Amino acid sequence: MIKALPATGSVVVVHNSGLREYVKQMIHDVRGADVLKATTVIICNRSDLARGYLTGRRVPVIVDHVFYAAVPPTVEASVRQLVRDCNVMV
């Protein structure tokens, strides 16, 4: 996931703050400070947060590989739909 992040900006979705910090550090270590600066790592562990963070995004949205297994089914469904909608727009 980290190696595939575009240098022009993206959003990475994770399910908790510990993972957000880990992913941010990995982006910095693997891709550098410029890609980290262009990337927003967000926590979406509730459907209302997902809607607020993802609605209208115009950059690629990437979901961490453990996200869907770690959130409730309602959040999973919301995020899957929002990510599809966002990624169609880019």
Side-chain angles (χ1 to χ4, degrees):
M1 170 184 77
I2 302 298
K3 290 181 181 180
L5 292 174
T8 55
S10 63
V11 173
V12 177
V13 179
V14 299
H15 70 282
N16 67 40
S17 60
L19 191 56
R20 178 178 58 187
E21 295 310 312
Y22 176 77
V23 168
K24 288 170 74 173
Q25 187 63 51
M26 283 193 53
I27 293 168
H28 181 270
D29 292 350
V30 173
R31 297 295 307 280
D34 290 338
V35 173
L36 176 59
K37 186 181 286 187
T39 305
T40 303
V41 183
I42 61 172
I43 302 166
C44 285
N45 51 16
R46 296 189 338 236
S47 293
D48 60 328
L49 292 176
R51 281 189 298 279
Y53 289 145
L54 296 176
T55 300
R57 292 286 182 157
R58 299 290 190 260
V59 296
V61 178
I62 298 97
V63 179
D64 182 70
H65 68 281
V66 300
F67 178 83
Y68 294 122
V71 296
T74 54
V75 176
E76 175 186 354
S78 293
V79 170
R80 281 188 191 278
Q81 184 60 53
L82 288 162
V83 168
R84 274 193 297 271
D85 294 347
C86 290
N87 287 340
V88 164
M89 302 301 286
V90 281

